[in-house]
């Protein structure tokens, strides 16, 4: 009997990733220092920063548990994106005991400060990176998990995701689905104001079996990961 090995792509994005530590009684001063040093930044994005930070204590152990549950032969890639995009451990990792350990160590760093990953949420860049990574996949059953606020906010000079660009991405991604079973899950973190999940969805072909979930609290996110 032929075994259908699976490929998993985790995509993690934040509007802000400055001092991305869990806000507790011991380190709540981090946000106070930010407010002192960057008053205009905190006035504009302070609530979003607090909202994103509180998910670290859920995302990190949940993803670690997910990786631990995978079987040898599965293939995993973690993409962090914001102003830029970076992949875990150089790209896809075949699941073994050693790569499980390496991936779980990498997951521990997801919320660490990274100058290339804070300040923006570039949805066009995200779609480009998904297409790029899917071109080098080797398994026929693919699950893509996107955890972000879906705010269309690229860096100055970068392309803003538009209907026209969505059409282009949709065409490229449709080609990636040929001969593969694709499943994409959009896990939307809460944001203040408008988001662009609806626009993003236009770029996803029907072959990807796109599903979206609104994550209203850390408990909701944990429950979703537990079900999966």
């Amino acid at each position: 009997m032929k075994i259908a090995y699976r490929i998993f792509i985790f995509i993690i994005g934040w509007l802000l990733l400055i001092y991305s530590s869990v806000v507790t009684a011991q380190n709540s001063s981090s946000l106070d220092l930010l407010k002192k040093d960057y008053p205009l930044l905190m006035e504009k994005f302070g609530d979003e920063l607090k909202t994103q930070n509180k998910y670290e204590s859920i995302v990190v152990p949940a993803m670690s548990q997910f990786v631990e549950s995978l079987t040898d032969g599965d293939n995993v890639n973690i993409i962090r994106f914001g102003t830029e995009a970076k992949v875990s451990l150089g790209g896809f990792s075949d699941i073994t005991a050693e790569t499980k350990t390496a991936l779980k160590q990498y997951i521990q760093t997801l919320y660490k400060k990274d100058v290339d990953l804070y300040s923006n949420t570039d949805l066009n860049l995200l779609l480009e990176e998904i297409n790029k990574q899917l071109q080098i996949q080797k398994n026929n059953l693919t699950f893509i998990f996107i955890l972000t606020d879906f705010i269309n906010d690229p860096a100055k000079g970068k392309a803003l995701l538009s209907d026209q660009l969505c059409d282009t991405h949709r065409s490229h991604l449709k080609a990636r689905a040929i001969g593969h079973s694709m499943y994409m899950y959009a896990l939307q973190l809460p944001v203040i104001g408008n988001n662009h999940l609806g626009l993003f969805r236009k770029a996803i072909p029907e072959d990807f079996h796109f599903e979206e979930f609104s994550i209203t609290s850390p408990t909701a996110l944990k429950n979703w990961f537990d079900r999966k």
Side-chain angles (χ1 to χ4, degrees):
M1 182 177 69
K2 184 178 179 180
I3 299 176
Y5 289 121
R6 304 162 296 176
I7 184 171
F8 296 89
I9 303 176
F10 296 93
I11 302 170
I12 315 295
W14 293 274
L15 176 62
L16 290 174
L17 206 59
I18 304 173
Y19 292 111
S20 297
S21 57
V22 178
V23 180
T24 65
Q26 292 181 332
N27 61 18
S28 60
S29 59
S30 296
L31 290 175
D32 294 332
L33 290 173
L34 268 179
K35 187 174 182 180
K36 177 181 178 181
D37 293 339
Y38 304 100
L40 294 179
L41 180 68
M42 287 300 293
E43 180 180 351
K44 184 176 181 181
F45 295 120
D47 289 337
E48 284 90 340
L49 178 59
K50 294 175 185 177
T51 298
Q52 306 297 350
N53 284 346
K54 71 180 182 181
Y55 288 91
E56 179 180 3
S57 61
I58 299 297
V59 171
V60 170
M63 288 186 64
S64 297
Q65 182 179 352
F66 197 102
V67 167
E68 186 61 37
S69 71
L70 301 179
T71 58
D72 289 359
D74 286 343
N75 209 237
V76 174
N77 194 343
I78 300 173
I79 303 171
R80 297 170 66 197
F81 83 100
T83 307
E84 301 294 340
K86 295 184 178 182
V87 297
S88 61
L89 308 180
F92 284 109
S93 301
D94 291 325
I95 289 298
T96 64
E98 290 76 17
T99 55
K100 280 186 179 182
T101 298
L103 282 167
K104 286 188 290 185
Q105 290 174 345
Y106 178 81
I107 288 168
Q108 296 295 321
T109 71
L110 287 178
Y111 280 80
K112 303 304 179 185
K113 181 180 178 181
D114 191 322
V115 69
D116 294 327
L117 294 169
Y118 67 71
S119 297
N120 298 91
T121 307
D122 193 331
L123 296 182
N124 182 60
L125 173 67
L126 167 59
L127 288 163
E128 289 178 352
E129 191 64 31
I130 291 174
N131 180 60
K132 176 182 176 181
Q133 295 301 316
L134 288 179
Q135 290 184 65
I136 56 177
Q137 66 175 310
K138 61 182 182 179
N139 294 343
N140 59 2
L141 181 58
T142 304
F143 300 87
I144 303 171
F145 305 91
I146 305 174
L147 180 65
T148 186
D149 50 28
F150 288 97
I151 291 179
N152 192 14
D153 177 38
K156 185 178 181 179
K158 295 292 186 70
L160 184 70
L161 186 64
S162 62
D163 287 333
Q164 183 177 0
L165 282 173
C166 283
D167 290 341
T168 300
H169 288 302
R170 186 180 180 91
S171 175
H172 291 165
L173 291 174
K174 188 173 181 63
R176 306 284 82 79
I178 297 175
H180 297 271
S181 297
M182 299 284 196
Y183 297 88
M184 180 179 286
Y185 303 99
L187 308 178
Q188 184 181 22
L189 296 176
V191 293
I192 298 174
N194 296 326
N195 66 78
H196 302 89
L197 178 56
L199 177 64
F200 182 88
R201 184 166 190 161
K202 292 181 180 179
I204 311 303
E206 294 180 358
D207 301 340
F208 276 61
H209 303 93
F210 186 91
E211 295 183 32
E212 59 186 69
F213 298 87
S214 178
I215 304 301
T216 56
S217 68
T219 300
L221 179 59
K222 180 180 185 302
N223 290 340
W224 190 90
F225 270 113
D226 287 345
R227 289 196 303 272
K228 294 301 175 183

